Amino acid sequence: MSYAYLFKYIIIGDTGVGKSCLLLQFTDKRFQPVHDLTIGVEFGARMITIDGKQVKLQIWDTAGQEAFRSITRSYYRGAAGALLVYDITRRDTFNHLTTWLEDARQHSNSNMVIMLIGNKSDLESRRDVKREEGEAFAREHGLIFMETSAKTAANVEEAFINTAKEIYEKIQEGVFDINNEANGIKLGPQHSPAAAGGMAAGGLGGSQGGGCC
Amino acid sequence: MIHAMPLQSNCPQPVIKMLSSSSSPDIEERDSPDMDEDSGQKQETKDQAPDKGHGKYMQWQRSDSPSPERSANGGRGEPAGAARSPDRSEWALLEPAVGYHHSRDNGKEDSVSMSPPAADSAEFRPRPIEVDLSEIRSLRVTERGTLCVIIQSDGSTTSPLRFPSSAHMDSFLDMVNSVTPIVRSCKDKALYLAEEQSRPARATQGTVDTLYGFARFSERLVGTGIKLVRDFHQDPRAATLTGIGKVAEIVLNRGLEDHRPEEAIADALRQHSFELEPPRLQSTQHEGFEVVTEIRLGEKRPVARQKPLTQQEWDDAHDVEGRIPDPDALRRRIFHGGVEPQLRASVWPFLLDCERPELTTEERRAARDQRRDDYFRMKLQWASMSEKQLTRFTGLRDRRALVEKDVTRTDRGEAFFSGTSNITLLHDILVTYCMYNFDLGYVQGMSDLLSPILFVVKDEVDAFWCFVGFMERVCGNFELTQKGMEQQFSDLHALLQVYDPTFCSYLDRNESSQMSFTFRWLLVWFKRELDWPDIQRLWEVLWTGLPCSNFVLLVALAVLVQQRSTIIESELGFSAIVKHINDLSMHIDLESSLKLAETIYGQFRDGSRVPAPVLRILDLPVPPESDAGSSPPAGSVPAAAGADPSPAGGQRSHDSSVSEDERSYEIALASQYM
């Protein structure tokens, strides 16, 4: 009985907006400004608890440069959630959101939950994109929105976890077919499809073990 | 296998913890007392229960990592182990040598790939490897039963875990078996597969204990294992420690037994396995009918690698005036053995077409002066631009900005690039390359290709021109359209389809026919997969252009087919394949992969009815009537060596006459790769 669900996430956005740093902050709770740039895809994972259930997030961290869009497209396959990241100190990274969103919508399953993230909120003095603009973009495109700082960890937990909650709600509503892995959701190893709906973590105490909240 | 990080001392040692965590959040904050001393093996104490759900976890901690606390403790003269760290947020990489790739995290689960800290690595603590037992798909046991890699259902693949002896391994496998039943693969003896109820029964009907020989082995151990598990629920720490003590004891006793039940079982199994070579079929569509021909590959001939090129040999390759009269012979020599490290600064410019072999020492000096002038002229073009000018030159400004960002995240784990001066050189060379080739500009990955060159040749101008030579070969990888990469994926697929149709069809069925999981391998020629010395060796071999300009694809094929049974028998799907391939980083044995790649080349060369498009990928001569399926001339020679400067991802036609046959053959080529 390790986890009830596994969600696949993908982190996308222009190069240098802090995708890898967000991931590291979320999985390791540390900020590492100096790390090698991402080529192709890197992975992270963490267990969280939602509604008393253990959920494992498997996170795909992608490279952001334009030339690699086509390879990144191949990673959307089977993602249940996407974090679309821009840098609030660089307007061009905000301007490119539309093309990222088009890509994401086109190459993922239609139920994929997309969280828009304005990262580097600690750099208020260098802000180039107003929070309201991010909010407006999110509203217009039906995304969840948050400003985060991978450096101070502000909102990082929330960004990943709120996305998971959204996915979880969709599962509850029956929007996601959990038996189809193409949706980016997998049942835990010991959770048979039949058992998953009703039994949850029943019978085993201490299911509050998530490192998140 | 891992050069910067010798296995013997660095692999996690078999300190096995099984943790049953019904943990509450605050356990993570708990500080535990230090370790016990009661077992025969070294123990490391886990300082926190993992923050997970329920389940059985195994955990390894490194026993070699520097830890002041442990050293102070003495720890029985063993290398210090994973330290308890008051600030657990700062856990270190499991593999400091790795650079960008890395590691198992602390309280969470699984791995995250990240770079190591550049400077203050001392602050970071190694993290344990943790494996959720219910997630195990398979275990690969190699090196005479002393090395084990665990593959989990999401494709996560642990670093090799080194055991002192096969007896330790046996007891470890027994322990795993007692919790998660495992069976030995009948197709690949090195592989043990987890039997899950949810998954269909394996190829044979044998049950867990008969297959593994577990029951015959030791009743006592079973008892121990079960007790161990039960006790974990009550007191994980104590149970672990005493449990391991018992296992150690049994191992000792077991040493006296002279029969090895597993062997007997394995033999029995071998008799039952029907290892037939699948036919390699090629079908050609004609009007109204289909011609199916069988492709035969040549014999699999092992090749030997040579010692690296020495100073003496290099000197002897020059005539009195400094020319290299037989550059092809020199390339062949380098292809077979590489170059001694201290010679690289002289040899690489030759391999990268920056030094021309037909020039005398005198002429070479003049050419070098010319290159110097050319370089600084181009450098001045951007270096002399005013800020104002740049604001109206976005094409350059953006590229400069990106280069600036990227050079600070290139190989910072290497001492050579930890300061600022060499980072500045990386920057200047890359921006100058933008001026040299403005149409291509700067694309991520290029800094990875430049850094080893700069490290070796040290000189800014030489490094630039060597880099130009390298880019000539790989510029197709960096086109905006990514056509070069796609061509290579499709070429690699075509090679695999002929070489190992079973594996190829498995990948096709698992949404992996695009081969995009090899993206990083091919984009930067394994830069992220091999350690610093190995990458230099691989590149100098590949730069010879021998035996074909696309040899990197054969290296990729060689590395890939070594994973075939792991991938197939662990039933990895699309995501898990990507993850597994990513996790191979720093665990690829270069020399054996080079040998296998060369062997495979020979098999294609000596084969019959190999489809023409595949022959073309390898620069092999295409017999005139090959489309009709006849065999190529016997003993056809390797395509000529040399200096084919065409980029690896060049435009090469690849038609569809390669077999599209999707039949799956249950077969074991596996034994070939063990």
Side-chain angles (χ1 to χ4, degrees):
Chain A
M1 304 288 278
S2 47
Y3 57 81
Y5 296 105
L6 185 147
F7 296 165
K8 173 179 167 180
Y9 278 17
I10 181 167
I11 312 183
I12 51 174
D14 275 9
T15 180
V17 297
K19 296 182 292 296
S20 302
C21 288
L22 280 169
L23 173 61
L24 188 62
Q25 182 58 259
F26 179 66
T27 57
D28 282 41
K29 298 195 172 79
R30 64 186 169 96
F31 176 66
Q32 193 177 303
V34 178
H35 59 86
D36 284 15
L37 63 98
T38 307
I39 290 183
V41 63
E42 301 278 2
F43 293 87
R46 198 182 126 181
M47 199 78 94
I48 60 172
T49 308
I50 294 182
D51 193 20
K53 295 191 180 67
Q54 295 286 310
V55 175
K56 180 174 173 178
L57 302 182
Q58 188 195 65
I59 305 152
W60 296 45
D61 173 29
T62 65
Q65 207 185 357
E66 196 181 353
F68 303 132
R69 286 289 180 92
S70 59
I71 190 73
T72 300
R73 284 183 199 122
S74 71
Y75 301 136
Y76 286 110
R77 189 197 309 267
L83 304 188
L84 170 53
V85 188
Y86 67 94
D87 174 354
I88 65 155
T89 71
R90 279 162 56 210
R91 177 155 293 274
D92 54 329
T93 67
F94 181 75
N95 294 341
H96 295 153
L97 289 177
T98 325
T99 49
W100 279 112
L101 199 56
E102 277 168 17
D103 253 22
R105 292 255 154 92
Q106 200 176 335
H107 297 277
S108 65
N109 78 74
S110 54
N111 291 318
M112 183 170 79
V113 172
I114 304 176
M115 159 79 77
L116 179 65
I117 291 180
N119 191 33
K120 309 198 186 176
S121 63
D122 54 293
L123 300 176
E124 193 55 50
S125 61
R126 283 163 51 191
R127 181 186 280 277
D128 198 16
V129 182
K130 291 200 200 79
R131 167 192 278 278
E132 293 73 27
E133 294 176 88
E135 285 168 349
F137 186 92
R139 212 175 312 117
E140 186 185 336
H141 295 92
L143 317 174
I144 338 171
F145 174 70
M146 283 195 130
E147 284 195 350
T148 62
S149 166
K151 188 174 184 179
T152 67
N155 272 344
V156 173
E157 293 272 306
E158 290 80 356
F160 283 87
I161 289 164
N162 290 355
T163 307
K165 282 181 180 157
E166 193 93 355
I167 296 167
Y168 184 78
E169 278 167 25
K170 284 196 174 191
I171 295 174
Q172 301 301 305
E173 291 163 11
V175 177
F176 273 119
D177 175 9
I178 49 172
N179 296 316
N180 181 357
E181 256 183 63
N183 284 326
I185 296 163
K186 228 171 97 181
L187 291 170
Q190 323 254 316
H191 293 68
S192 71
M199 82 167 239
L204 288 157
S207 58
Q208 312 305 320
C212 46
C213 330
Chain B
M1 188 164 192
I2 300 171
H3 295 254
M5 192 183 68
L7 271 180
Q8 204 61 39
S9 61
N10 279 291
C11 267
Q13 296 288 316
V15 175
I16 302 157
K17 314 251 172 192
M18 297 172 66
L19 301 150
S20 155
S21 53
S22 50
S23 58
S24 56
D26 61 343
I27 285 188
E28 198 173 351
E29 305 306 319
R30 187 185 69 191
D31 233 37
S32 341
D34 211 345
M35 42 173 308
D36 80 316
E37 301 282 341
D38 72 349
S39 86
Q41 299 175 6
K42 71 174 94 50
Q43 298 293 320
E44 303 303 342
T45 309
K46 175 150 175 55
D47 60 324
Q48 74 220 45
D51 171 19
K52 316 176 186 307
H54 314 282
K56 309 274 185 317
Y57 288 82
M58 290 184 297
Q59 179 187 76
W60 284 259
Q61 299 193 347
R62 293 186 60 124
S63 50
D64 61 332
S65 35
S67 153
E69 306 157 54
R70 289 284 293 129
S71 308
N73 273 349
R76 279 192 221 199
E78 295 288 357
R84 294 181 304 121
S85 147
D87 51 334
R88 277 182 304 277
S89 56
E90 306 289 303
W91 284 83
L93 298 178
L94 216 44
E95 292 164 12
V98 169
Y100 25 81
H101 180 233
H102 124 56
S103 76
R104 314 298 141 181
D105 58 7
N106 55 346
K108 313 307 156 328
E109 154 118 339
D110 207 330
S111 73
V112 57
S113 295
M114 274 301 144
S115 78
D120 51 354
S121 47
E123 283 184 22
F124 289 81
R125 301 284 189 277
R127 286 181 277 195
I129 294 176
E130 282 171 359
V131 176
D132 179 345
L133 285 164
S134 62
E135 287 280 280
I136 292 180
R137 267 296 158 84
S138 60
L139 303 98
R140 172 169 288 283
V141 177
T142 51
E143 313 239 325
R144 291 184 300 279
T146 58
L147 211 60
C148 176
V149 170
I150 301 176
I151 297 99
Q152 301 177 67
S153 62
D154 67 351
S156 298
T157 305
T158 64
S159 300
L161 307 164
R162 168 73 72 182
F163 289 69
S165 73
S166 61
H168 288 81
M169 178 72 77
D170 289 344
S171 67
F172 164 67
L173 292 175
D174 289 335
M175 178 136 68
V176 172
N177 189 39
S178 69
V179 185
T180 287
I182 50 175
V183 296
R184 195 168 192 170
S185 163
C186 56
K187 297 177 187 149
D188 180 349
K189 284 191 299 164
L191 203 61
Y192 292 84
L193 304 163
E195 275 281 314
E196 282 176 36
Q197 287 170 343
S198 60
R199 283 163 55 261
R202 297 281 174 184
T204 63
Q205 291 303 307
T207 58
V208 168
D209 44 4
T210 52
L211 278 173
Y212 183 57
F214 183 77
R216 282 179 61 196
F217 160 45
S218 170
E219 296 275 309
R220 282 174 301 163
L221 187 57
V222 180
T224 308
I226 290 167
K227 181 166 183 308
L228 214 53
V229 174
R230 196 181 56 233
D231 290 350
F232 283 134
H233 289 283
Q234 292 148 18
D235 184 349
R237 170 180 311 282
T240 301
L241 300 176
T242 50
I244 286 178
K246 283 178 187 164
V247 171
E249 176 201 339
I250 286 165
V251 169
L252 286 177
N253 291 339
R254 197 185 167 208
L256 304 171
E257 303 177 23
D258 52 8
H259 69 281
R260 295 183 55 86
E262 309 93 294
E263 298 270 331
I265 301 290
D267 285 344
L269 265 179
R270 268 196 291 277
Q271 292 168 8
H272 284 285
S273 62
F274 14 81
E275 303 194 356
L276 299 171
E277 190 79 16
R280 297 180 168 85
L281 301 176
Q282 175 195 13
S283 91
T284 319
Q285 293 291 341
H286 293 264
E287 275 181 47
F289 63 97
E290 184 186 17
V291 175
V292 178
T293 46
E294 186 183 350
I295 302 163
R296 283 184 193 280
L297 291 183
E299 195 189 330
K300 187 176 170 118
R301 289 200 185 87
V303 297
R305 302 269 313 151
Q306 299 173 3
K307 286 201 155 55
L309 182 83
T310 63
Q311 181 75 49
Q312 188 63 52
E313 288 176 285
W314 171 246
D315 292 343
D316 292 349
H318 291 74
D319 66 17
V320 280
E321 289 177 300
R323 296 187 194 87
I324 301 176
D326 191 353
D328 288 344
L330 193 58
R331 285 198 189 91
R332 274 195 298 277
R333 175 69 186 83
I334 294 168
F335 172 75
H336 289 295
V339 177
E340 284 187 352
Q342 76 283 1
L343 258 187
R344 286 185 171 133
S346 312
V347 179
W348 282 17
F350 157 75
L351 288 173
L352 288 166
D353 308 317
C354 140
E355 294 275 9
R356 286 158 55 197
E358 70 275 16
L359 299 188
T360 63
T361 310
E362 198 64 30
E363 292 164 333
R364 200 164 281 152
R365 199 167 293 137
R368 193 159 188 260
D369 288 344
Q370 183 62 50
R371 286 200 303 271
R372 187 159 293 274
D373 289 349
D374 286 345
Y375 174 77
F376 284 111
R377 183 175 44 75
M378 289 184 285
K379 183 174 177 180
L380 198 62
Q381 287 168 356
W382 63 265
S384 63
M385 279 188 197
S386 68
E387 278 304 317
K388 272 202 161 153
Q389 201 179 352
L390 271 177
T391 56
R392 287 180 289 268
F393 195 174
T394 28
L396 182 64
R397 192 194 53 198
D398 291 353
R399 287 166 185 197
R400 276 184 68 172
L402 187 53
V403 169
E404 227 160 86
K405 226 173 173 38
D406 285 355
V407 292
T408 62
R409 24 182 206 166
T410 301
D411 288 320
R412 295 306 291 276
E414 287 297 324
F416 186 75
F417 292 108
S418 59
T420 54
S421 58
N422 292 327
I423 293 291
T424 308
L425 287 181
L426 277 183
H427 169 271
D428 291 359
I429 293 170
L430 288 169
V431 178
T432 306
Y433 186 79
C434 285
M435 300 309 292
Y436 174 82
N437 188 351
F438 202 80
D439 291 344
L440 186 61
Y442 167 77
V443 181
Q444 289 182 335
M446 289 185 185
S447 63
D448 272 85
L449 298 186
L450 173 59
S451 64
I453 292 178
L454 182 61
F455 168 79
V456 162
V457 305
K458 302 283 192 294
D459 177 80
E460 180 178 356
V461 178
D462 288 344
F464 172 80
W465 289 106
C466 283
F467 178 66
V468 167
F470 197 174
M471 285 305 298
E472 282 297 313
R473 292 161 164 79
V474 294
C475 57
N477 292 3
F478 297 98
E479 293 162 3
L480 197 57
T481 60
Q482 289 287 286
K483 278 223 177 70
M485 290 303 297
E486 275 161 27
Q487 184 64 51
Q488 290 180 84
F489 291 153
S490 114
D491 287 350
L492 182 58
H493 188 263
L495 292 170
L496 184 65
Q497 199 157 40
V498 171
Y499 188 74
D500 189 346
T502 309
F503 188 22
C504 191
S505 122
Y506 179 86
L507 294 176
D508 293 351
R509 285 196 313 273
N510 286 276
E511 306 174 287
S512 300
S513 60
Q514 284 186 329
M515 312 297 284
S516 55
F517 54 87
T518 61
F519 176 79
R520 199 170 66 186
W521 293 3
L522 299 174
L523 183 82
V524 290
W525 281 20
F526 290 89
K527 169 68 169 22
R528 297 292 180 101
E529 324 305 318
L530 298 171
D531 66 17
W532 201 242
D534 271 1
I535 201 62
Q536 297 173 46
R537 173 58 39 81
L538 173 67
W539 286 2
E540 63 201 12
V541 167
L542 292 175
W543 289 334
T544 64
L546 293 171
C548 59
S549 57
N550 261 338
F551 192 64
V552 69
L553 292 180
L554 289 177
V555 175
L557 184 64
V559 175
L560 187 57
V561 295
Q562 292 175 79
Q563 299 304 318
R564 65 107 67 185
S565 57
T566 302
I567 289 175
I568 294 177
E569 301 213 37
S570 308
E571 299 172 8
L572 303 185
F574 169 78
S575 293
I577 290 170
V578 178
K579 176 85 172 94
H580 175 68
I581 294 292
N582 252 40
D583 282 357
L584 288 181
S585 176
M586 300 300 139
H587 303 304
I588 291 171
D589 184 341
L590 177 63
E591 288 296 313
S592 69
S593 299
L594 281 174
K595 283 186 212 166
L596 180 56
E598 196 184 339
T599 297
I600 293 174
Y601 176 80
Q603 289 183 273
F604 277 109
R605 181 194 56 211
D606 303 335
S608 62
R609 301 190 189 90
V610 175
V614 171
L615 293 174
R616 284 192 205 105
I617 293 169
L618 302 178
D619 301 343
L620 288 166
V622 178
E625 66 285 53
S626 78
D627 285 339
S630 77
S631 52
S636 53
V637 273
D644 177 358
S646 70
Q651 303 303 310
R652 188 172 278 108
S653 78
H654 166 227
D655 66 41
S656 56
S657 69
V658 180
S659 167
E660 295 290 330
D661 186 12
E662 290 245 329
R663 266 172 290 181
S664 121
Y665 303 95
E666 278 305 313
I667 277 319
L669 289 175
S671 54
Q672 297 178 21
Y673 310 125
M674 284 167 54

